[in-house]
Amino acid sequence: DVQLQASGGGLVQAGESLKLSCTISGVITDDYCIGWFRTVPGRKREGVACVGRGDGATYYADAAKGRFTVSINNAKNTVYLQMNNLKPEDTAKYYCAADQRSDIVVTSLGWPKYWGQGTQVTVSS
């Protein structure tokens, strides 16, 4: 079974940075895009970013472009999300997710095939 465990969330002030980690257990093949989506109670789920397991190609939602960087360390079975210049509107629970379609992860077109427990990110103004 595939398990995705997110960690690294916390409370930061606007303008600060935070790095999330996603540890992968089980087998996810090279044709998957692994990344993040976020949720806020009362709002639609929002995709953030993902990185191709095999080719390292990256995909970003508009809200993440220029401030967030997604990366993968295959040797460590870990995906990262470096978040810079955080804003209060980035406050959300961030979930690690994986799907064979990158657009499923970085948009709200559908639910990714795999996703795990999230980590809370709170940005104060």
Side-chain angles (χ1 to χ4, degrees):
D1 287 350
V2 171
Q3 292 188 351
L4 304 174
Q5 181 63 52
S7 62
L11 172 63
V12 297
Q13 293 188 332
E16 293 185 339
S17 299
L18 206 58
K19 187 173 185 177
L20 305 182
S21 298
C22 170
T23 303
I24 305 162
S25 299
V27 177
I28 293 184
T29 54
D30 285 353
D31 56 340
Y32 273 76
C33 205
I34 308 169
W36 305 85
F37 66 82
R38 63 189 183 184
T39 64
V40 176
R43 287 174 49 184
K44 194 175 183 181
R45 177 176 60 88
E46 183 180 26
V48 178
C50 72
V51 56
R53 171 85 170 190
D55 62 4
T58 55
Y59 306 86
Y60 294 94
D62 287 345
K65 290 177 182 176
R67 297 188 298 123
F68 294 2
T69 302
V70 63
S71 61
I72 187 168
N73 185 325
N74 278 312
K76 293 185 178 181
N77 265 346
T78 303
V79 172
Y80 304 98
L81 184 68
Q82 176 68 46
M83 304 185 291
N84 297 328
N85 190 23
L86 282 161
K87 304 176 181 180
E89 50 264 41
D90 295 317
T91 294
K93 196 162 188 178
Y94 286 70
Y95 294 83
C96 185
D99 196 274
Q100 290 171 305
R101 288 177 52 180
S102 59
D103 58 342
I104 293 293
V105 181
V106 299
T107 70
S108 57
L109 285 177
W111 283 94
K113 183 172 183 179
Y114 302 113
W115 52 283
Q117 293 183 336
T119 185
Q120 179 68 37
V121 172
T122 302
V123 184
S124 63
S125 58

